Amino acid sequence: MKIGKINYSELSTAQQLSVKYFTVAMVLFLAQLVFGLIAAWQFLAPDFLFGVLDFNVNRMVHINAMVVWMLYGFIGAIFWLVEDESGVPLVGVWIANATFYVLTVAVTIVVLVYLFVQSGPGDAWTLWLINEGREYIEAPRWADIGIVICMVAFFYNVAGTFVAGRWSGISGVLVLDLVALAGLYLAGMFYTTNLPMDQYWWWWVIHLWVEATWEVLVGCIMAWGLIKTLGARRRIVTTWLYVEVALMFGSGILGLGHHYFWIGTPEYWLGIGGFFSALEPVPLVAMVVHAVYDAGRHHFRSSNHPALAWLIAHAFGNFIGAGVFGFMQTLPQINLYTHGTQWSSSHGHLAFFGAYTTIIVAFIYLTIQRLRGDVWMSSDIQGGWRWKWSLALLHVGMVGMSMALLIAGYEQSFVERAMGGSTWQAYFEGQTQPWFIQAMWWRMVFGVIMTAGLVLLLVDFVKIGAGDTRPIQAVAASDAVEDAAQPAGAVAKAAGGG
Amino acid sequence: MSESGIRTEWWASENFWRKCAIFVTGFMALVLVLLTFHTLTVIEAGSEAGRVPAYAVINHRIGYVMDDDKRRMVPVIGPVAPLFGEELTEAEAMALVDHGKLTVQARNCMNCHTILGNGAYYAPDLTKAWLDPGWGNEDARELLMTMFLKDPPTNARTYGTGRRMPNQELTDDEVRAVIAYLKWMSAIDTNGFPSGFKPLPQGSLTPPAAAAPQSRAGASRALGTSPPLAQPRRPSTKSPPPLTSAAATGLSMRGAS
Ligand code: HEM
Ligand code: HEM
Ligand SMILES: [Fe+2]
């Protein structure tokens, strides 16, 4: 390991895979923002690329790139921690490598078809080959099947490694959660004429991913991350993880009902969905308390400042974006007017960014530290302005954008929904209000700020730690010693420098 | 497990919370599965519950009115008013609606519009598009919808936004199918979403007294009226309705009548 240099060849295969997955993830993240900007611009200048790259194509690429890059991010993070957590080298290296290339080629083909073929005749062939026309899971059926096969392979790698090595609380939750996550995808893989039936299962994928299984997945990653960056005690972290699982699944599974208010499903979902989804912020509060308490307990002395900053951003972002902004529209009495307005878009942006972008970025900082030979990443990082500014720009951009969309959403709910009765004309009356148009301009401005932040972040990923010769700062030795008798012993390892 | 000196109370222990997590997750998942079984029977097209109509509902006039007991809006299935003047059997209607839904997915409509409120926010919600007052009145509707879908940019009403729908190059069959799908969609009981919607002017929603034997189907609300819909008035010996392009070419003419 040469401190400050790229040590790619000295990483284990699993860690190299993480680097690959993260790299593709960041390319897709950039693509996501580019297509988001085009779509946002089309709100202001509808003739832009009209008939060439229409809004629906840009938006589809925008949200699909997001879903895929986040899944890549999760896979990358899991490959990174699996060996450390299990204590043995990755099982099935050959399969893991092949999976990466197969998946990446498939994703590339899907995106190219989206962009150049775009749509097809109204028959089953289009759904098999071009796109399925269902928001977020538009990928054609052939790709669905490919994704499932890749997920099975990935699961084999992860579960197999834990079986070969040792289990811990974190890995137990992680593996069970992966089963649920992959299984849920199957619910989105069939076609039916019956629209309510279609949307009923569609939400199983979307909601039970982002508000249940993904949340628990990042809970696991967060738990491991806190141990690594702060040297937090494993027993406490694991107990918190169980608390979070109980609260998250306890509210999130039936919280699914907040999508069953208006799609033809029975009336009891109004009560069940309203009640349980209103409880969903509770686990998110628990997560904030946990992260902030741990950070404070360790006097914010960490071995990796950017990662810790992004972990804390995750805790707050998750709580505000998902918890607060989700709660605002989750009771049916309010949702009747906000459902399917810019209000949803505001929440969707802040939640995905706050909950998932943040933690993946945090994790990438952890991997880069290792890639750079366990270089120093505490206070006084060389060129430390970069990570701070990119963090600030991304957050200013995202918060500004969500606020603009929220204002647009308020306006739309009043003018189009409450006053206008949701007709075609009322819709356009809402869209032409000065407040709405201003909000669309502000969204554009903040979108550009955000994109600048992302570019700077990517530059920082390449540059941080380069040429620095100070080794990683050891963390919280006292706690680690106290926990050294722990079965997994990862804490002691962390203190010793990973 | 840990050897640390301070004893942990049972309610703060790792073990207790592991069991909690397992129990809560299992219990909630079980409840969801049970509710799912029930919901799936309720939302079967044409089921007794009447929330999701049989596909042959497209043979009828559809309304959306305030229900004074529920204090929310509900769809109403009115007297026979076949789509494009062609009465279909349940199987034929299902095939048509199915083609419409496939087309809507294949053209990725949901990434501009919302459908039952889900999708994108660049264009109006389609839940009650069939009933939209923008089509003028019942007699003009089928023609105007057909013209619009055949050439949206030319027939766009963008109310000053400049936001036009791109031409989806729909075939005549696809246009017809999409309209059938939208008509069927407008008859789904969505618990009052969208609220306060004012449908276009239509004829009576209660059938003429003369049509007494069939009137049950038409008179009552969507709730529980589906069985009669399965039996169309048109004798089933008649040749299947024209889904062929030859018939579809004359479509807009017939629609206007
Ligand atoms: C990280 C977690 C979350 C993410 C990523 C997320 C994301 C989203 C997205 C993208 C949508 C829009 C879906 C569409 O396109 O139609 C949505 C809708 C919604 N979310 Fe969340 N959400 C999260 C957590 C929550 C929580 C905790 C709550 C409640 C407390 C909540 C309440 C809602 C509601 C009520 C809607 C429906 C909006 C509508 O009717 O249009 N969400 N969410
Ligand atoms: C440059 C920054 C961005 C711009 C300009 C942008 C723009 C847009 C636009 C125009 C839409 C379509 C909304 C509509 O249908 O009216 C959209 C949807 C969406 N974007 Fe972004 N976006 C940006 C960044 C992001 C980021 C960073 C995330 C998540 C991490 C994100 C997640 C989403 C989601 C989940 C939706 C679907 C929302 C819904 O259906 O409710 N976007 N975005
Ligand atoms: Fe949800």
Side-chain angles (χ1 to χ4, degrees):
Chain A
M1 283 274 174
K2 293 182 291 294
I3 297 179
K5 298 274 180 319
I6 298 277
N7 294 278
Y8 184 75
S9 53
E10 281 158 64
L11 296 179
S12 71
T13 319
Q15 290 176 326
Q16 290 182 347
L17 273 164
S18 297
V19 175
K20 287 183 201 153
Y21 274 104
F22 285 141
T23 309
V24 177
M26 287 302 105
V27 171
L28 288 170
F29 188 9
L30 193 61
Q32 184 202 353
L33 293 201
V34 169
F35 283 92
L37 286 175
I38 300 176
W41 184 243
Q42 286 175 327
F43 263 94
L44 298 163
D47 289 337
F48 183 61
L49 294 178
F50 182 79
V52 181
L53 270 183
D54 286 316
F55 181 87
N56 59 343
V57 176
N58 297 316
R59 185 185 194 275
M60 171 169 64
V61 176
H62 177 62
I63 57 178
N64 277 226
M66 171 189 76
V67 172
V68 174
W69 86 251
M70 288 183 177
L71 287 172
Y72 265 59
F74 295 150
I75 295 176
I78 293 168
F79 270 131
W80 190 267
L81 60 76
V82 67
E83 292 181 328
D84 181 89
E85 193 63 12
S86 67
V88 294
L90 186 72
V91 168
V93 167
W94 180 86
I95 294 178
N97 264 316
T99 308
F100 169 78
Y101 290 107
V102 170
L103 198 57
T104 305
V105 169
V107 168
T108 312
I109 295 174
V110 169
V111 173
L112 290 177
V113 171
Y114 281 172
L115 287 175
F116 295 104
V117 185
Q118 298 184 354
S119 60
D123 57 35
W125 285 108
T126 303
L127 272 50
W128 272 94
L129 300 176
I130 302 171
N131 93 54
E132 280 183 51
R134 295 165 84 208
E135 196 192 5
Y136 300 109
I137 46 176
E138 287 93 345
R141 192 71 43 77
W142 73 264
D144 285 347
I145 294 170
I147 289 169
V148 169
I149 293 170
C150 288
M151 285 303 116
V152 170
F154 173 63
F155 182 77
Y156 163 76
N157 291 134
V158 175
T161 309
F162 285 119
V163 169
R166 66 176 166 236
W167 288 93
S168 65
I170 296 177
S171 55
V173 174
L174 180 71
V175 165
L176 290 176
D177 193 59
L178 282 179
V179 176
L181 199 158
L184 284 168
Y185 192 72
L186 300 176
M189 276 180 58
F190 68 98
Y191 170 83
T192 159
T193 313
N194 186 330
L195 176 64
M197 200 81 86
D198 174 326
Q199 294 203 348
Y200 186 87
W201 290 111
W202 177 69
W203 280 116
W204 270 54
V205 188
I206 312 306
H207 172 100
L208 292 179
W209 265 10
V210 302
E211 284 165 68
T213 48
W214 284 27
E215 283 283 3
V216 167
L217 184 73
V218 298
C220 295
I221 296 174
M222 180 76 157
W224 189 86
L226 288 174
I227 294 174
K228 288 283 131 172
T229 54
L230 294 167
R233 290 162 65 177
R234 176 170 288 269
R235 191 168 50 81
I236 292 181
V237 169
T238 310
T239 308
W240 264 112
L241 182 62
Y242 293 137
V243 173
E244 285 159 15
V245 171
L247 294 175
M248 198 70 238
F249 283 150
S251 59
I253 291 179
L254 290 181
L256 175 59
H258 64 182
H259 304 293
Y260 296 161
F261 297 158
W262 327 116
I263 64 165
T265 36
E267 276 162 333
Y268 52 69
W269 286 110
L270 296 168
I272 296 172
F275 179 78
F276 284 96
S277 67
L279 293 176
E280 283 180 45
V282 175
L284 308 180
V285 176
M287 286 164 140
V288 176
V289 174
H290 173 197
V292 172
Y293 169 81
D294 266 343
R297 168 84 176 67
H298 295 268
H299 310 285
F300 289 85
R301 269 201 302 268
S302 86
S303 56
N304 189 320
H305 275 202
L308 181 62
W310 278 97
L311 282 182
I312 291 174
H314 159 77
F316 281 102
N318 198 4
F319 170 61
I320 295 169
V324 176
F325 275 55
F327 182 83
M328 285 199 299
Q329 45 166 354
T330 206
L331 297 176
Q333 294 77 2
I334 291 165
N335 194 262
L336 178 58
Y337 298 97
T338 62
H339 177 50
T341 64
Q342 294 293 334
W343 200 311
S344 318
S345 185
S346 169
H347 156 64
H349 278 90
L350 202 56
F352 265 111
F353 178 84
Y356 302 122
T357 303
T358 47
I359 193 150
I360 294 170
V361 170
F363 215 95
I364 293 179
Y365 272 115
L366 284 182
T367 62
I368 288 177
Q369 181 169 36
R370 175 88 183 151
L371 187 62
R372 290 273 176 200
D374 288 331
V375 70
W376 174 272
M377 282 208 192
S378 300
S379 38
D380 303 322
I381 296 174
Q382 293 172 9
W385 66 273
R386 275 192 309 263
W387 77 262
K388 289 174 191 156
W389 271 95
S390 61
L391 184 144
L393 287 172
L394 280 161
H395 279 82
V396 167
M398 185 40 98
V399 171
M401 190 158 94
S402 310
M403 289 306 157
L405 294 173
L406 185 63
I407 289 168
Y410 271 82
E411 189 274 341
Q412 196 181 352
S413 302
F414 276 113
V415 175
E416 173 196 332
R417 298 301 179 74
M419 290 160 61
S422 305
T423 60
W424 202 278
Q425 185 174 359
Y427 172 83
F428 281 107
E429 256 157 36
Q431 304 288 306
T432 47
Q433 290 290 315
W435 284 352
F436 188 92
I437 296 170
Q438 280 171 28
M440 292 297 116
W441 276 105
W442 280 113
R443 184 255 298 271
M444 194 70 216
V445 170
F446 284 112
V448 171
I449 293 177
M450 205 177 164
T451 311
L454 177 61
V455 171
L456 187 59
L457 181 77
L458 297 182
V459 171
D460 194 47
F461 282 166
V462 175
K463 289 199 166 170
I464 193 168
D468 201 333
T469 50
R470 293 169 292 170
I472 188 170
Q473 182 192 37
V475 287
S478 60
D479 260 9
V481 169
E482 209 180 325
D483 264 16
Q486 280 275 111
V491 178
K493 259 181 148 189
Chain B
M1 269 208 279
S2 165
E3 304 296 319
S4 61
I6 311 155
R7 250 203 27 247
T8 310
E9 297 290 340
W10 64 267
W11 48 264
S13 71
E14 196 178 326
N15 197 21
F16 171 75
W17 283 102
R18 185 193 305 116
K19 286 179 183 150
C20 261
I22 293 169
F23 175 78
V24 169
T25 307
F27 179 75
M28 292 299 169
L30 182 69
V31 174
L32 177 62
V33 168
L34 293 177
L35 286 171
T36 296
F37 276 119
H38 183 257
T39 296
L40 291 185
T41 57
V42 170
I43 63 176
E44 200 71 59
S47 85
E48 277 299 306
R51 299 191 61 93
V52 181
Y55 298 102
V57 77
I58 60 173
N59 291 328
H60 290 255
R61 178 177 294 141
I62 291 158
Y64 190 51
V65 301
M66 192 66 187
D67 179 311
D68 288 332
D69 297 334
K70 295 188 171 165
R71 291 292 195 94
R72 65 167 173 85
M73 297 187 77
V74 291
V76 180
I77 299 173
V80 170
L83 186 65
F84 299 118
E86 211 86 53
E87 235 182 299
L88 306 181
T89 64
E90 173 65 11
E92 290 160 355
M94 177 168 174
L96 190 61
V97 170
D98 181 67
H99 189 203
K101 182 162 182 285
L102 277 170
T103 306
V104 164
Q105 288 185 222
R107 298 302 204 285
N108 201 4
C109 307
M110 199 185 186
N111 267 310
C112 280
H113 294 274
T114 42
I115 296 174
L116 304 183
N118 294 312
Y121 321 119
Y122 190 72
D125 184 51
L126 297 181
T127 311
K128 302 292 172 192
W130 168 255
L131 299 174
D132 199 275
W135 305 121
N137 61 55
E138 203 176 9
D139 295 332
R141 170 170 53 195
E142 285 171 8
L143 177 62
L144 288 179
M145 282 184 100
T146 305
M147 279 169 58
F148 175 75
L149 287 174
K150 286 295 283 181
D151 186 5
T154 314
N155 295 296
R157 290 166 295 129
T158 71
Y159 302 95
T161 55
R163 246 186 262 167
R164 292 168 302 159
M165 173 164 152
N167 196 334
Q168 301 300 307
E169 314 287 349
L170 297 171
T171 65
D172 290 344
D173 281 350
E174 286 174 339
V175 167
R176 213 162 100 92
V178 167
I179 295 175
Y181 176 47
L182 291 174
K183 183 170 183 183
W184 173 74
M185 192 191 295
S186 73
I188 297 171
D189 185 349
T190 49
N191 286 341
F193 172 87
S195 162
F197 181 88
K198 302 164 204 71
L200 84 178
Q202 296 187 107
S204 164
L205 291 169
T206 35
Q214 272 100 11
S215 68
R216 266 186 353 130
S220 42
R221 278 193 274 105
L223 302 180
T225 56
S226 28
L229 291 179
Q231 297 136 25
R233 252 202 244 143
R234 190 171 55 76
S236 52
T237 47
K238 227 169 136 187
S239 62
L243 285 169
T244 59
S245 51
T249 342
L251 162 109
S252 43
M253 250 68 97
R254 228 177 305 132
S257 64

